Amino acid sequence: MFEPFEQILAIEIALLQNETYRCTYAVITRKGDRIDAAEHHTVEGTLVKVLERLPRKFPVALALSGKGIIHKQIKGSGTENKDFFRTAFPSVERKDFYVQEAFSNDLVWLSIIRQALADDMVGKLQTAGLQVYALSLGALSVISIWELLSVPGGGFTANGHQFDVDETGAIAGYRYAEGTEDAGNLKLGDTKLKPALLVPYALAFQLFLHDKLSVIKANDTQVDNRFKDFLEQSKLKKAAGIFVFALLGLLLISFLTLTHYNAENAKLNEQVGAMTATADQSDLLKKEITEQKILLNKLGWNGGYSYAFLLNEIGSSKPKALTLNEVIFDQLKEDPKDAKDLLASIKIAGETANLTAVNNWIFLLKEKKWAKEVKLLRYQQDTESQNFQFNLLIQY
């Protein structure tokens, strides 16, 4: 409930020739330990056409492929040489590029894109209302889900991304070739995976588990800072949510406590009414109590029970099969059987499809100490809803 990400818009944009783009995107949903994508879409055309089709209001994980992105594979992840960029691109100024490093066994892939190109693309997505929280280059983010993939021996091609696989099932090589047909059957766990969903799944997986694995992404400071700000806001929302739940818990405890003491107060009222004075003052006290009861009833004392208590008693005993439409408290009136007692009544109107539930409820209400009499006044079928309407009268 307090996870920072529940749904992620995973987007792969391939930069083609002549200012055209191919965009594959999917909304990936996290349900417990499962990650599902109901559907994916592919759009090809100008960037304006692509942006028009993308859904909003989801955090975005973006991968850029195609023209302008260079991938270089080198060996040496287990050596002391850690300046992989200089090894892969000895004559390139690093300050002009965003760099992505991906590791698998003893292989390292260096991917670069000009900062101006990446900033322009991310900026246009931001202007269109899309919040980009991770920027990856190519399909090397697939390394994060490689252990979950069942890949064919020798390698496979998915959406232009070509992976070579050695005899142990590890990645032996990667390259991107636009226009290459998909080849090889992929499975993610026990689920068949469409080639077009390979990169979106990997992007979403990285963002969902950002705190448990090393995310393969380019070193775009603006995107990284935006992601950090989002996580900070998520922490504040989590803290606020916990505070609200704690407050609701306290309110519930207060309500239950007040209900308990109200019930105890009703019992004490009965005990006070039943107490007798000494033998010499017994008659005088009985007369005074009778007069006080009549006066209290005339003042609307409601029989000594609060409306909140009575409503709680009615609501807590009501079966789920019943729907209450109206609860009316009538003024006190004299009991024709005994003019000394004054009775109040409650009229209840509702509907149900189950007559047994009504009978069971009447039985439960009759068991209440405060209920003098419970009557079923009406029970008939409603021709419009196919349910049955009923009216109850409770005297107390």
Side-chain angles (χ1 to χ4, degrees), residues 283-301:
D283 293 339
L284 180 62
L285 288 175
K286 287 181 180 180
K287 181 178 179 181
E288 183 179 354
I289 289 171
T290 301
E291 293 174 351
Q292 293 296 328
K293 286 177 65 177
I294 294 174
L295 177 60
L296 288 173
N297 288 328
K298 289 181 179 180
L299 294 174
W301 190 49

Side-chain angles (χ1 to χ4, degrees), residues 9-83:
L9 175 60
I11 304 173
E12 179 190 0
I13 297 179
L15 287 70
L16 308 179
Q17 300 293 334
N18 302 322
E19 299 296 325
T20 59
Y21 302 83
R22 187 187 67 251
C23 173
T24 302
Y25 67 91
V27 177
I28 313 294
T29 302
R30 182 178 185 177
K31 299 178 180 177
D33 295 330
R34 292 182 58 84
I35 298 176
D36 297 312
E39 58 182 340
H40 72 279
H41 300 277
T42 300
V43 184
E44 187 168 331
T46 64
L47 187 59
V48 173
K49 180 180 178 181
V50 169
L51 294 177
E52 286 177 348
R53 293 287 302 275
L54 293 175
R56 269 61 174 174
K57 299 182 180 180
F58 297 105
V60 174
L62 175 65
L64 297 179
S65 303
K67 182 182 177 182
I69 295 94
I70 301 175
H71 306 283
K72 191 69 175 290
Q73 176 180 321
I74 61 174
K75 290 186 177 181
S77 62
T79 67
E80 295 181 357
N81 179 20
K82 298 300 181 181
D83 192 357

Side-chain angles (χ1 to χ4, degrees), residues 106 109 137 233 302 320 347 353 360 373 384:
D106 65 338
W109 286 269
L137 303 179
Q233 292 178 3
N302 197 39
K320 293 182 178 180
K347 293 179 180 180
N360 291 340
E373 187 174 8
E384 294 182 0

